[in-house]
Amino acid sequence: SGQQDGSVQVGIEGGTAPITYQLGNVSNTSGVFNNLNGGVYTIIATDANGCVSNCEVEINENSGLTLSI
């Protein structure tokens, strides 16, 4: 918990390639974002014609290990 080990992969149907995905100040054309903390993120997709779509994704934090005897 508290580690930046989350990841998300998004894709879009339709649009004109290439599609650029942006999460915060990171953008790419794969739609894969790694090394994320738990939380809610907005991902913006923009196609070659400038058409824009966005979605929110939530990455849950791992609750860690629980040891019981």
Side-chain angles (χ1 to χ4, degrees):
S1 101
Q3 297 179 354
Q4 289 182 307
D5 59 359
S7 64
V8 64
Q9 179 175 1
V10 296
I12 194 166
E13 292 182 19
T16 302
I19 308 295
T20 301
Y21 300 93
Q22 182 172 347
L23 190 155
N25 61 356
V26 176
S27 63
N28 63 46
T29 56
S30 69
V32 177
F33 298 92
N34 296 307
N35 304 317
L36 301 172
N37 286 320
V40 177
Y41 296 90
T42 300
I43 298 175
I44 302 167
T46 307
D47 78 356
N49 293 326
C51 297
V52 177
S53 183
N54 64 60
C55 68
E56 282 192 350
V57 295
E58 182 174 3
I59 297 176
N60 295 315
E61 284 231 11
N62 185 346
S63 60
L65 299 175
T66 303
L67 177 64
S68 59
I69 298 175

